[in-house]
Amino acid sequence: MSSSGLRSPQFDYVKFRDLLIEAIIKHNLPFSFVEYEGIRALFAYVSPDIKLPCRNTVKACVLRMFKSERQKLHTLLSSIQGRIFLTSDLWTSCTNTSVCTDGYLALTAHFVDQDWRLHKRIINFCHMPPPHSGVALSEKINALITEWGIEKKLFSITLDNASANTSFVEILTNQLNFRGLLLMSGKFFHVRCCAHILNLIVQDGLKEIDSSVIKIRECIKYIKGSEGRKQKFYECVAQVGIMGSKKGLRQDVPTRWNSTYIMLESALFYRRAFINLGLSDSNFSSCPSPQEWIKLEKITKFLGYFYDVTCLFSGTKYPTSNLFFPKVFIVQHQIKAAMEDNDGFMNKMGTNMNMKFEKYWSEYSLILAIAIILDPRYKLHFVEWAYTKLHGKDSEEFKYVRDTLTSLFDVYSEHLSHLVTSNYGMNETASHTEDGDTIFEDFDNSYKNGPSTSRKNELHKYLDEERLDRKQDIDVLSWWQMEHFHYPILSNLARDVLTIPISTVASESAFSVGGRVLDQYRSSLLPEIVQALLCTRDWLFGKGAMEEENANVESLTEDIFKLTCQDTRSGQSSNSISLED
């Protein structure tokens, strides 16, 4: 068989080149990949007629593809009917072990398309030189949103608690309000990253970590200290009948509370093996006592809830704003329970957490309280119930939420009143009414405006209808899509409020990929090339590509079963990106 026979007779060189460029972008391959001697030999063997481009041509093709995909995204953002939501964060690339170089700003847009599907797109990953002050950040992001032409569609921006962000968002809010671009004068524009706040709360609780947790850390360090100890632990695992499990024994990074939780959870799983090792190895002196194992169970159970909530808040595939209010209510309940616990270590953890909780969440976010009302499983009843428990019946806090929801609905009614008119128009034209029927319009008008008629708007109708079962698992956006004709205005409001991202994880996730695009071997890439590579990767391959490279929480820990005695470096994953930091 000839070499040309291996190639499709419909071979299109332009298509081949585009696929090659896409592969380089998706898999973070260097531009020089096309000049590798082995790669060229491989393609020459497949067909001598295939000519690989040089690295400079590849670079030019990447920029051309970036511009093409950017224009497609620009068109998409211009066509969406709802609001656009932003998340943003800063990142500094570390291209070697000692020097941190360029700063980058990641800006991610969240929106719902015409089919009511939730999307996120990294719209910028651009060079951000110092100073990273509030003024500099506001100028940069204002220029970016103007360049994309989305300033008239903005609803909110979600940021972490970096000190510069407070002044930055105040300046940007004033600039947008001066042009009359924000809803209700930007009342809902600034959303704080809930995952970041939750991380701060738990970190405060773990400032004075219990000695039993330190013992677990020492146990794992002891076991992984030599191949002989690790083999001995394997034998203890087999003796207590745990063999066959794929669960690893994790070594944490002490500065990351989520990795500490994973370490404790894995240690409890292998508890009997630890105890067995303590009985057979006289040098193994750090094994927790029975009382300390009980403490570890309580700490792990307590941290487990925060871990689950953090993971839930960090989602980007589903609406998260409606998850906030009930989860934060339970967080507060768990903290109060810890404060009332008889054990001193739990009481101390709860007290420290409560101080941070009161700082950030003593007044629940107003727009996120509205989000839970727009979940048909909760509605206004839940907010009223929660505020009654917190502030008493008919509290001013509850009235403020209710009144704000009414005001927000009035704003949407004013902007979208044509939706109701057009719906009525469709019904009239479909019925082909005769001219003579117009005589009854006087009756219709008198009925609508009669003094005995109690007219309800969409919001009142929605709130009066029976709630869905709270335990029912539903796609909230899909529910509102089905109810779109029933609530033409309220469904638009719900779509926008439910799209609000409550964490900056979507922007932070770009950093793990950025660290691979701009590593110590490719540190000379120009900022515009870095942005072209990372953004095009996101636009072409979406969530799947990001998930391939994302550092999840477990990647912050080491599985000692996978370590050899030569690889005893502890904390080597501390440079990973934590989605909850």
Side-chain angles (χ1 to χ4, degrees):
M1 181 183 293
S2 64
S3 60
S4 60
L6 296 174
R7 197 178 65 190
S8 169
Q10 290 83 31
F11 179 79
D12 182 345
Y13 179 75
V14 175
K15 179 64 176 178
F16 165 76
R17 185 192 61 196
D18 288 346
L19 288 172
L20 180 65
I21 300 302
E22 288 179 10
I24 289 172
I25 292 172
K26 183 174 184 179
H27 301 294
N28 300 320
L29 300 173
F31 294 151
S32 59
F33 169 81
V34 293
E35 296 180 352
Y36 290 172
E37 183 179 347
I39 295 299
R40 287 190 173 271
L42 173 64
F43 279 97
Y45 173 74
V46 172
S47 176
D49 298 334
I50 297 179
K51 303 298 182 184
L52 291 178
C54 66
R55 69 175 74 185
N56 289 330
T57 302
V58 168
K59 184 186 299 184
C61 289
V62 167
L63 289 173
R64 185 164 58 246
M65 188 173 289
F66 166 71
K67 292 176 182 177
S68 173
E69 294 299 323
R70 189 181 187 279
Q71 184 57 46
K72 292 179 184 177
L73 180 57
H74 191 283
T75 302
L76 175 61
L77 292 176
S78 300
S79 67
I80 63 171
Q81 298 175 350
R83 292 273 171 170
I84 294 174
F85 308 80
L86 303 176
T87 56
S88 182
D89 209 348
L90 288 168
W91 175 69
T92 302
S93 66
C94 295
T95 53
N96 59 55
T97 56
S98 59
V99 180
C100 289
T101 54
D102 297 324
Y104 283 85
L105 181 143
L107 186 64
T108 306
H110 305 252
F111 57 93
V112 172
D113 66 15
Q114 294 181 355
D115 296 322
W116 289 71
R117 291 176 300 190
L118 182 63
H119 293 267
K120 73 172 184 68
R121 295 288 189 275
I122 301 172
I123 58 176
N124 288 101
F125 193 85
C126 52
H127 185 227
M128 183 65 194
H132 296 161
S133 62
V135 174
L137 286 169
S138 65
E139 290 177 353
K140 185 71 172 180
I141 291 187
N142 195 12
L144 294 176
I145 61 178
T146 302
E147 183 181 318
W148 279 98
I150 59 176
E151 65 274 18
K152 294 181 180 179
K153 292 188 175 185
L154 291 182
F155 190 108
S156 70
I157 183 167
T158 304
L159 304 165
D160 64 23
N161 285 343
S163 56
N165 283 339
T166 301
S167 58
F168 141 61
V169 80
E170 287 179 1
I171 296 170
L172 184 59
T173 301
N174 291 334
Q175 291 172 337
L176 295 173
N177 273 334
F178 180 75
R179 299 161 63 188
L181 300 178
L182 294 179
L183 282 175
M184 298 180 70
S185 301
K187 192 170 189 174
F188 314 118
F189 186 58
H190 184 197
V191 177
R192 295 182 182 273
C193 174
C194 298
H196 184 77
I197 294 175
L198 196 60
N199 180 62
L200 295 177
I201 290 173
V202 181
Q203 288 283 19
D204 267 29
L206 295 178
K207 277 183 178 178
E208 297 181 23
I209 194 73
D210 192 76
S211 59
S212 59
V213 177
I214 299 174
K215 276 193 172 185
I216 291 295
R217 193 173 290 146
E218 293 302 317
C219 286
I220 297 174
K221 287 181 181 179
Y222 176 83
I223 293 168
K224 79 170 191 175
S226 72
E227 194 67 22
R229 293 175 188 170
K230 194 161 68 169
Q231 185 58 42
K232 182 67 175 177
F233 186 71
Y234 280 141
E235 295 172 2
C236 292
V237 169
Q239 289 171 6
V240 297
I242 307 180
M243 291 301 291
S245 172
K246 295 182 180 179
K247 192 176 185 68
L249 182 62
R250 317 297 297 197
Q251 170 74 64
D252 75 331
V253 179
T255 56
R256 308 289 176 86
W257 76 266
N258 38 28
S259 70
T260 301
Y261 163 74
I262 293 173
M263 178 188 72
L264 295 178
E265 185 188 38
S266 69
L268 285 169
F269 181 80
Y270 289 103
R271 179 194 327 194
R272 289 182 296 156
F274 278 112
I275 296 172
N276 196 12
L277 181 64
L279 295 174
S280 58
D281 185 350
S282 58
N283 293 321
F284 183 55
S285 57
S286 54
C287 184
S289 66
Q291 292 74 23
E292 287 173 324
W293 280 115
I294 294 174
K295 275 188 179 183
L296 289 167
E297 279 186 323
K298 293 185 71 171
I299 294 173
T300 305
K301 183 178 179 180
F302 183 62
L303 293 180
Y305 185 82
F306 292 89
Y307 177 83
D308 291 340
V309 173
T310 299
C311 292
L312 197 64
F313 281 177
S314 301
T316 57
K317 294 181 180 179
Y318 50 83
T320 54
S321 62
N322 60 310
L323 304 176
F324 171 84
F325 199 90
K327 294 300 180 184
V328 171
F329 182 81
I330 297 300
V331 163
Q332 186 177 21
H333 182 269
Q334 295 291 331
I335 291 174
K336 286 186 176 180
M339 293 173 63
E340 296 169 1
D341 198 289
N342 293 328
D343 289 320
F345 70 95
M346 289 296 295
N347 186 279
K348 186 176 294 184
M349 283 180 65
T351 302
N352 290 341
M353 286 183 176
N354 190 61
M355 291 176 63
K356 189 69 73 174
F357 183 93
E358 291 292 332
K359 178 179 179 180
Y360 290 112
W361 280 343
S362 57
E363 296 181 4
Y364 292 173
S365 173
L366 180 63
I367 190 61
L368 298 180
I370 292 174
I372 193 63
I373 298 172
L374 296 171
D375 187 325
R377 296 166 295 184
Y378 292 91
K379 296 194 177 183
L380 193 62
H381 306 97
F382 183 83
V383 176
E384 183 177 17
W385 173 81
Y387 275 119
T388 298
K389 285 190 171 295
L390 293 172
H391 308 292
K393 191 173 179 59
D394 297 326
S395 64
E396 292 300 319
E397 291 82 358
F398 170 69
K399 292 178 182 178
Y400 184 52
V401 172
R402 184 186 58 198
D403 293 345
T404 304
L405 172 60
T406 302
S407 299
L408 182 60
F409 176 76
D410 290 341
V411 171
Y412 270 75
S413 297
E414 182 180 349
H415 291 170
L416 302 173
S417 58
H418 64 280
L419 293 178
V420 178
T421 304
S422 63
N423 283 342
Y424 291 146
M426 284 191 301
N427 293 333
E428 290 171 4
T429 55
S431 62
H432 300 288
T433 56
E434 297 179 1
D435 293 339
D437 287 345
T438 57
I439 195 172
F440 296 112
E441 287 183 0
D442 180 59
F443 166 74
D444 295 333
N445 292 332
S446 64
Y447 177 78
K448 289 179 181 178
N449 300 322
S452 62
T453 302
S454 176
R455 299 182 62 195
K456 293 184 178 181
N457 61 28
E458 292 179 22
L459 179 59
H460 294 145
K461 290 178 182 177
Y462 165 74
L463 295 177
D464 287 346
E465 285 188 353
E466 187 176 351
R467 289 185 298 109
L468 300 182
D469 182 2
R470 182 182 58 81
K471 298 178 182 178
Q472 185 177 345
D473 186 15
I474 65 169
D475 183 328
V476 182
L477 281 179
S478 296
W479 188 89
W480 278 105
Q481 181 186 16
M482 292 187 295
E483 297 292 330
H484 180 59
F485 291 103
H486 192 193
Y487 304 110
I489 295 175
L490 188 61
S491 61
N492 280 274
L493 188 159
R495 175 199 57 207
D496 289 346
V497 172
L498 292 170
T499 309
I500 298 172
I502 63 172
S503 78
T504 59
V505 167
S507 290
E508 291 176 12
S509 64
F511 302 151
S512 59
V513 182
R516 292 168 173 82
V517 171
L518 195 65
D519 59 17
Q520 58 183 325
Y521 304 108
R522 305 173 77 187
S523 58
S524 60
L525 286 177
L526 295 175
E528 55 265 30
I529 300 296
V530 174
Q531 175 169 250
L533 287 168
L534 196 139
C535 289
T536 308
R537 186 177 192 269
D538 179 61
W539 301 339
L540 285 176
F541 307 110
K543 298 173 183 174
M546 285 298 175
E547 287 167 357
E548 288 179 7
E549 303 288 354
N550 255 356
N552 58 32
V553 180
E554 291 208 7
S555 70
L556 299 175
T557 63
E558 292 178 329
D559 183 354
I560 72 164
F561 290 164
K562 297 179 181 178
L563 299 176
T564 64
C565 60
Q566 286 79 22
D567 185 9
T568 58
R569 295 167 294 175
S570 63
Q572 62 183 19
S573 59
S574 59
N575 290 327
S576 302
I577 296 296
S578 170
L579 300 188
E580 287 74 47
D581 273 4

